[in-house]
Amino acid sequence: MDIIIRRTPDEVGAYAADCIEPFARQGATIGLATGSTPNPTYKELIRRHREEGLSFANCKAFLLDEYYGLPRDHEQSYYSTIRREFTGSIDIPDAAVASPNGEAEDPHSAAASYDHAIRHAGGVDIQILGIGANGHIAFNEPTSSLRSRTRLIDLHPRTIEDNARFFDSADEVPRQALSQGIGTILEARHLVLIATGPAKANAVQALVEGPLSASCPASALQLHNAATVVVDESAAELLSDAETYKDFDPYWR
Ligand code: F6R
């Protein structure tokens, strides 16, 4: 893993945008995360689109996950969120942005078809990831199999609590989601995980320095040969050996 430590969330966003830009230029397939952490990255990519002509017109995108049981046009569905925060402000065609069908009657077959659609599109070239305070990636909560595929998942009480800020109350947060599995995510050719703020420090420490374990699903990045972890100083504060992590650009940049 390459560990990159930046001072602020905006600097983290700028670094992540630098990682994504060359892929956008090649018309790559980009894996998108929702949540608050990637917003500075998306803002910077939108700026580059508007001011520097960075085009996403030939790109495809796959979202990591979607709440199950929330209408697609609900303002907190990830389908709506990614359009509001990112893809609605760049030139990627709307039809090229795919997300799991959170309204499907049969969630298991919807999950399997989403996994199939990713493979059929040739896989994800670069995947952006956030991390939950409990170490989850996408909605793969602790104990998720490190080889899991896209599937229906019961959200952890901590995730429901964390995501309640987007809803009027915790009661409104859906209890389930369709999420790419850890095995699915590990098939992406490049991974860029971003984490900012002190609430992520424990999870970042477990991801970088802890054992490979389903207790911290993000530790599965240790198995990937092109994974970059970009964190701000407060998310890095529990790393016991931060000074020794060389701030080299990843080999593929
Ligand atoms: C969202 C997702 C989640 C978030 C994680 C962190 O698509 O996959 O794993 O990345 O819950 O969320 P924020 O960034 O809001 O702290």
Side-chain angles (χ1 to χ4, degrees):
M1 270 189 295
D2 297 292
I3 320 294
I4 307 289
I5 302 173
R6 288 289 178 269
R7 233 164 24 88
T8 64
D10 281 349
E11 288 178 15
V12 167
Y15 189 92
D18 286 348
C19 293
I20 294 153
E21 178 168 337
F23 287 88
R25 292 194 187 285
Q26 291 159 27
T29 298
I30 304 178
L32 299 175
T34 45
S36 310
T37 314
N39 285 345
T41 306
Y42 295 150
K43 254 172 96 179
E44 174 60 13
L45 289 169
I46 293 167
R47 188 196 67 72
R48 293 182 193 189
H49 167 66
R50 291 189 176 145
E51 295 175 17
E52 297 168 9
L54 177 63
S55 175
F56 296 81
N58 297 319
C59 292
K60 285 188 216 128
F62 284 92
L63 265 64
L64 279 172
D65 40 21
E66 179 59 278
Y67 289 118
Y68 184 61
L70 205 61
R72 196 166 94 144
D73 58 6
H74 188 286
E75 60 169 11
Q76 292 307 331
S77 76
Y78 287 171
Y79 174 90
S80 301
T81 302
I82 202 68
R83 280 159 180 80
R84 186 171 62 244
E85 302 293 346
F86 184 40
T87 55
S89 304
I90 54 172
D91 57 349
I92 189 168
D94 198 43
V97 182
S99 48
N101 180 2
E103 295 182 287
E105 239 168 73
D106 178 350
H108 306 295
S109 85
S113 17
Y114 194 66
D115 219 276
H116 178 77
I118 296 171
R119 283 190 167 157
H120 189 70
V124 168
D125 294 306
I126 184 162
Q127 175 67 56
I128 305 165
L129 295 166
I131 182 170
N134 64 2
H136 74 214
I137 48 173
F139 276 130
N140 294 285
E141 302 287 20
T143 75
S144 291
S145 157
L146 301 182
R147 298 183 67 173
S148 49
R149 310 300 309 180
T150 304
R151 67 204 186 289
L152 184 67
I153 290 178
D154 291 331
L155 300 186
H156 191 278
R158 172 82 196 252
T159 304
I160 293 171
E161 197 185 298
D162 286 347
N163 288 5
R165 68 189 192 280
F166 297 115
F167 294 81
D168 289 337
S169 73
D171 290 346
E172 287 184 26
V173 182
R175 268 36 191 174
Q176 291 181 305
L178 287 172
S179 174
Q180 285 190 36
I182 299 174
T184 317
I185 293 168
L186 290 180
E187 284 171 6
R189 293 178 191 90
H190 303 85
L191 303 178
V192 177
L193 183 143
I194 52 185
T196 54
K200 300 296 172 67
N202 273 309
V204 167
Q205 199 265 340
L207 146 68
V208 175
E209 295 175 343
L212 174 66
S213 163
S215 302
C216 175
S219 66
L221 266 65
Q222 295 171 17
L223 295 170
H224 199 278
N225 65 353
T228 304
V229 174
V230 194
V231 295
D232 70 356
E233 283 175 354
S234 55
E237 73 193 0
L238 296 180
L239 292 175
S240 61
D241 221 6
E243 267 90 84
T244 66
Y245 303 138
K246 300 276 183 288
D247 197 14
F248 288 149
D249 279 338
Y251 78 87
W252 48 270
R253 277 202 57 217

